[in-house]
C-alpha cells in the first residue's frame, strides 16, 4: 500500500521496485510497476546518530534515471564508484537503539492473494542495514547492548503473518475503502499498521508515504470455492491491533485508553471473476474479537499449579475504560454492538466465572448510566460446558441462529460495479475523483438516501457517453458488529467466528445470486471448506498470542475424528502453550515493545532487560493499586453466590442421623422427586448447582452460607443476577433448547460410585438430609436409566 500518487493523471502510481546503491551516501532508486516513472532518494551516511534523508523532487524516465546513475558512478570513482547493495521491494522503516540508525528493507516477497485486481504480498526475506559509514561509527555501535538490541528486534519474524499491498489499503475493510476514501499518512495511523513507529521519521521528513509499505499483522488466506455452476473467491483477513499488543499472560484486559489485548478484526470477503461485459460483485462481513474490557491480569511470573495468578482490579473507575472501548467500536463499525461472552458460568475455574460475572454487571451498569450506550446487546453462552455435554453440531446450529439474528441487525456489505466503472478504476479508489465530484460512496449515500439498501446511479459527466445512460452501482452496507470473546479470545472464540462466518457466507452468496436460500447447511461441502480456513486462522492467531496452535477439539469432533487422537493432540497443544507462556513470551514481548516503539532505548538509561517486571512487561498497562487475587475472590462477598440460570430455594432444616442413613433408599427417594423449577424460557443445566464437596468437609448446618466450595460453582452474586435480567442482556443458558436430552445416557459425567462417595462425605460433614437431597438431585437423575 504505502504509496501516494505523484502525478495528476487518470491513474494512481505506486513505487513497487527499488534498488539500493552505496557511495559515501545511500541512493535508493524506485520505480512503478509499468516503469513509467522513477524517483530518487538520498540518505546521508556521515552522521553517526542522526537520520538525514532527502528526496529528489524530480520525476525521471528510465533513460534519465540511467544517465543519473552513470554520473553518480563517475563522480565517485575515487572512492570506488557506485555499488549496488541490494534490490528490494519497499522500506519497512528506520530504527535506532543506542547510536546508529538501521534501515529495514523487504528483499524478497511473494504474492498471497488478490483483492479486486490489487495484489497482496507477504514478506519472505528482509534485511537490516546500518546507515552510518564505518568510518564514522563509534565503539557504541559495536557494544554488547547494541548487539543485543539488534538480536532482540530480529526475533520479530516479519516473514510470518505480515502482509501488505502497494495499491490496496489492506489495513482497512472493503467497505471502509469504498465508503471513506483516505490516502497518505492518515492510513499509517490506523491501529492495524504495525510499522507506524518505524516509518514515522521518513514519513514526517518527506511528507509522503511513497517509499514505505504499511505492514499488517494477523492472517490472510484466499481460496477458490464453487457452488453448482459458479466459482468464487473467498478471502479471510484477520488484522491484529498494535495498540495494546502482546502475549497471552503479559497483555490482558483493557488499558486506560480503552484498548484491549488480543484485539483482532476479521473480514470475510466473497468476490467473483466476472465474465466480460458483466458487472462485478463483491461482499464482505466484519466481526471482532478482543479481551474482556476490564482491568484484570494473570501474572505469568507467578505460575501456580500450571496456572498464573488471576487478579481483578477492585476499582474499575465506573467502567470508564470499558466505555471508551465501546465508543471506539461504534466509531469503527457503527451500531449496534452485539457482545457475545463465552466465559464459563460453571465448573472449577473460579477466576473465569468471576470475570464473566463482573463483565455482565459492568455492561448493565454502562447501559443504565450512559444513554448513548443503549445500542449494546450482551449475550452470554457457556460454550465449553454446552459443547462438553452435547454434540458440537447441535451447538453450532444454535450459534448459527444467534449469528442469523445478529446479521439481521447489522447487515452485510454488498457492492455491484458495472463493467464501465470497473475498467475506469473503481477499486483503484480514483473513481470518485472523476465522477460527479463525490469523495466517497458514503457521501453519495448521504445525498441519495439509505446506505443499507440503495441503488445509486452515476452518469458520465465527461460527455463520452449518452447523458441518460446509467452506470448503476448497487450497494448495501454493514452497520454494527459482533464482538465475541472467551478468556483468551482464541479457541472458543474461533468456533463462534466460524459459525458466524458460515451464516454470513450464506447471505453473501445469496446476495451475489449464487444460491437461492441464504442458509448453508453444516453438512454442505462449503461448510467443511470454510471450517478449514477458519481453523487455519485460529491456529495462526493462537500462535501469535498464546504461543501454540489453537485447541481444535470441536472442529475435530465435528469431522468425526477418533476421540483418543483428539485428546492426545489437545494435550500436546496444552504443553506447547504452557512452555511458551512460561519461558518464551517474555522475549517475545520485549521484541514487540521494541518494534512498536513502546520502549525506546537511550544512552545512559537502564536497558530493557534490566528493568523490573512491572516496567518491562506492562508497557501501556495501568498499574494495579489493588487487585483481587484468587484468595480474595473466594471471600469477596458475604452473601452466598447463586447461579443466574435458575432460582432455587434449598431447604436447610432437619438433622441427619449420623452416617447410618440408607444411601440406596435415599437415592430411590430422590428419583421419585420432581425436577426443581426451571428458568423462564426453557430447560437448564443441572450441573450448575452441584458444588464440589470434599470428603473431609465438616460444617454445621448454620454455616452453609460460608461454604467456599459451594461458592466455587455458583459464582453469580445477587447484583450480577439482577444485571442478567437487564433488557439488553441475554443469557443463552436460560434459553437453551436442549431439554432433558442434554444429558443423554452415553454422555453421563458421574457414576453411581462417584455419587455415593460424595454423599458419604456430605453425611459425615453433618449436612441436613433435605440439603443433601437438594445438592445431589441433579446427580441422581443420571441413575434413572
Amino acid at each position: 500500500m504505502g504509496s501516494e500518487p505523484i502525478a495528476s493523471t487518470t491513474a494512481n502510481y505506486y513505487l513497487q521496485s527499488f534498488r539500493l546503491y552505496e557511495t559515501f551516501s545511500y541512493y535508493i532508486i524506485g520505480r512503478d510497476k509499468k516503469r513509467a516513472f522513477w524517483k530518487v532518494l538520498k540518505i546521508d551516511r556521515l552522521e553517526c546518530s542522526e537520520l538525514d534523508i532527502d528526496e529528489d523532487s524530480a520525476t525521471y524516465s528510465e533513460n534519465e534515471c540511467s544517465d543519473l546513475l552513470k554520473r553518480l558512478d563517475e563522480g565517485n570513482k575515487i572512492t570506488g564508484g557506485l555499488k549496488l547493495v541490494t534490490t528490494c521491494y519497499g522500506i519497512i522503516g528506520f530504527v535506532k537503539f543506542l547510536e546508529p540508525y538501521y534501515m529495514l528493507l523487504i528483499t524478497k516477497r511473494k504474492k498471497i492473494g488478490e483483492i479486486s485486481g490489487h495484489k497482496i504480498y507477504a514478506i519472505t526475506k528482509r534485511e537490516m542495514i546500518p546507515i552510518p559509514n564505518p568510518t564514522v561509527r563509534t565503539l557504541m555501535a559495536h557494544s554488547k547492548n547494541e548487539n543485543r538490541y539488534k538480536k532482540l528486534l530480529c526475533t520479530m519474524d516479519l516473514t510470518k503473518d505480515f502482509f501488505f499491498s502497494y495499491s490496496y489499503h489492506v489495513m482497512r475493510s472493503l467497505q471502509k475503502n469504498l465508503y471513506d476514501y483516505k490516502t497518505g499518512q492518515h492510513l499509517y495511523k490506523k491501529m492495524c499498521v504495525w510499522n507506524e513507529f518505524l516509518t514515522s521519521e521518513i514519513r514526517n521528513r518527506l511528507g509522503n508515504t511513497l517509499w514505505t509499505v504499511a505492514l499488517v499483522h494477523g492472517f490472510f488466506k484466499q481460496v477458490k470455492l464453487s457452488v453448482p455452476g459458479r466459482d468464487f473467491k473467498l478471502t479471510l483477513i484477520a488484522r491484529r491491533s498494535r495498540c495494546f499488543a502482546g502475549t497471552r499472560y503479559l497483555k490482558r484486559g483493557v488499558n486506560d485508553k480503552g484498548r484491549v489485548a488480543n484485539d483482532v478484526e476479521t473480514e470475510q470477503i466473497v468476490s467473483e471473476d466476472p465474465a466480460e461485459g458483466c458487472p462485478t460483485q463483491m461482499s464482505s462481513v466484519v466481526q471482532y474479537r478482543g479481551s474482556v474490557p476490564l482491568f484484570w491480569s494473570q501474572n505469568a511470573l507467578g505460575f501456580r499449579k500450571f496456572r498464573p495468578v488471576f487478579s481483578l482490579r477492585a476499582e474499575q473507575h465506573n467502567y470508564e475504560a470499558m466505555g471508551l472501548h465501546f465508543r471506539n467500536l461504534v466509531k469503527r463499525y457503527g451500531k449496534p454492538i452485539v457482545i457475545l461472552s463465552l466465559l464459563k458460568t460453571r465448573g472449577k475455574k473460579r477466576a473465569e466465572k468471576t470475570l464473566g460475572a463482573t463483565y455482565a454487571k459492568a455492561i448493565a451498569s454502562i447501559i443504565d448510566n450512559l444513554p448513548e450506550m443503549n445500542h449494546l446487546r450482551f449475550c452470554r453462552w457457556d460454550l465449553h460446558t454446552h459443547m462438553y455435554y452435547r454434540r458440537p453440531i447441535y451447538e453450532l446450529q444454535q450459534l448459527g441462529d444467534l449469528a442469523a439474528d445478529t446479521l439481521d441487525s447489522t447487515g452485510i456489505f454488498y457492492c455491484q460495479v458495472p463493467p464501465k466503472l470497473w475498467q475506469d478504476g473503481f477499486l483503484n479508489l480514483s473513481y470518485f475523483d472523476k465522477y460527479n465530484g463525490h469523495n466517497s460512496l458514503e457521501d453519495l449515500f448521504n445525498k441519495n438516501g439509505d446506505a443499507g439498501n440503495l441503488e445509486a446511479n452515476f452518469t458520465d459527466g465527461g460527455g463520452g457517453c449518452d447523458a441518460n445512460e446509467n452506470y448503476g452501482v448497487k450497494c448495501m452496507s454493514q452497520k454494527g458488529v459482533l464482538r465475541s470473546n472467551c478468556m483468551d479470545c482464541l479457541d472458543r472464540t474461533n468456533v463462534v467466528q466460524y459459525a458466524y462466518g458460515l451464516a454470513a457466507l450464506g447471505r453473501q452468496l445469496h446476495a451475489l445470486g449464487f444460491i437461492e436460500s441464504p442458509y448453508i447447511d453444516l453438512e454442505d461441502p462449503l461448510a467443511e471448506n470454510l471450517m478449514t480456513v477458519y481453523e487455519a486462522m485460529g491456529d495462526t492467531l493462537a500462535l501469535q498470542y498464546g504461543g501454540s496452535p489453537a485447541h481444535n477439539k470441536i472442529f475435530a469432533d465435528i469431522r468425526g475424528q477418533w476421540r483418543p487422537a483428539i485428546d492426545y493432540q489437545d494435550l500436546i497443544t496444552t504443553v506447547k502453550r504452557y512452555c511458551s507462556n512460561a519461558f518464551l513470551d517474555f522475549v517475545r514481548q520485549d521484541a514487540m515493545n521494541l518494534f512498536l516503539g513502546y520502549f525506546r532505548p537511550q544512552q545512559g538509561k537502564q536497558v530493557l532487560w534490566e528493568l523490573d517486571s512491572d516496567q518491562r512487561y506492562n508497557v501501556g498497562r495501568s498499574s494495579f493499586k489493588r487487585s483481587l487475587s484468587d484468595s480474595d475472590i473466594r471471600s469477596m462477598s458475604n452473601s452466598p453466590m447463586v447461579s443466574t440460570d435458575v432460582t432455587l430455594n434449598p431447604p436447610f432444616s432437619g438433622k441427619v442421623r449420623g452416617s447410618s442413613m440408607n444411601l440406596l433408599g435415599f437415592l430411590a427417594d430422590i428419583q421419585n422427586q420432581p425436577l426443581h423449577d426451571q428458568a423462564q424460557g426453557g430447560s437448564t443445566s443441572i450441573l450448575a448447582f452441584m458444588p464440589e464437596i470434599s470428603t473431609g468437609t465438616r460444617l454445621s448446618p448454620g454455616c452453609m452460607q460460608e461454604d467456599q466450595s459451594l461458592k466455587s460453582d455458583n459464582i453469580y452474586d445477587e447484583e450480577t443476577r439482577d444485571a442478567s435480567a437487564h433488557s439488553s442482556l441475554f443469557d443463552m443458558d436460560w434459553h437453551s433448547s436442549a431439554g432433558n436430552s442434554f444429558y443423554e445416557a452415553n454422555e453421563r459425567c458421574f457414576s453411581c460410585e462417584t455419587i455415593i462417595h460424595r454423599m458419604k462425605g456430605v453425611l459425615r460433614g453433618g449436612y441436613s438430609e433435605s440439603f443433601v437431597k437438594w445438592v445431589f438431585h441433579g446427580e441422581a437423575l443420571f441413575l434413572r436409566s
Side-chain angles (χ1 to χ4, degrees), residues 56-196:
D56 190 341
S57 59
T59 300
Y60 298 91
S61 66
E62 185 170 5
N63 292 332
E64 291 171 341
C65 189
S66 298
D67 293 338
L68 176 63
L69 291 176
K70 289 179 182 179
R71 291 197 301 270
L72 287 173
D73 182 57
E74 292 173 357
N76 290 275
K77 282 294 185 180
I78 192 172
T79 58
L82 192 67
K83 299 177 182 177
L84 176 64
V85 178
T86 185
T87 299
C88 57
Y89 299 96
I91 298 175
I92 298 172
F94 296 84
V95 63
K96 174 185 176 182
F97 304 124
L98 298 177
E99 185 184 80
Y101 270 89
Y102 300 87
M103 179 167 50
L104 280 72
L105 301 175
I106 300 172
T107 54
K108 288 186 179 180
R109 67 184 183 185
K110 67 176 180 181
K111 178 184 170 183
I112 57 175
E114 193 173 290
I115 299 178
S116 304
H118 300 267
K119 295 179 181 179
I120 313 298
Y121 296 95
I123 302 172
T124 56
K125 186 179 180 181
R126 64 107 178 97
E127 290 187 17
M128 186 165 67
I129 299 174
I131 291 178
N133 193 286
T135 59
V136 300
R137 297 178 200 170
T138 67
L139 293 178
M140 182 61 70
H142 306 284
S143 66
K144 181 179 179 180
N145 288 340
E146 181 77 11
N147 290 330
R148 186 166 179 178
Y149 277 124
K150 285 163 52 178
K151 290 180 180 178
L152 183 61
L153 187 67
C154 289
T155 61
M156 280 288 295
D157 191 353
L158 302 183
T159 64
K160 290 184 178 179
D161 312 324
F162 283 88
F163 49 93
F164 66 95
S165 175
Y166 299 104
S167 56
Y168 181 76
H169 305 156
V170 72
M171 77 291 293
R172 311 176 83 218
S173 68
L174 180 64
Q175 177 173 319
K176 281 285 186 181
N177 278 329
L178 294 180
Y179 276 25
D180 187 20
Y181 177 48
K182 301 289 184 181
T183 60
Q185 302 210 39
H186 171 83
L187 298 171
Y188 281 79
K189 300 299 181 183
K190 294 299 178 182
M191 57 196 306
C192 296
V193 178
W194 274 58
N195 60 335
E196 187 273 340

Side-chain angles (χ1 to χ4, degrees), residues 268-288:
Q268 178 176 294
I269 301 176
V270 175
S271 59
E272 64 170 345
D273 294 325
E276 186 175 355
C278 295
T280 299
Q281 301 182 90
M282 302 164 292
S283 175
S284 76
V285 171
V286 172
Q287 54 181 317
Y288 174 87

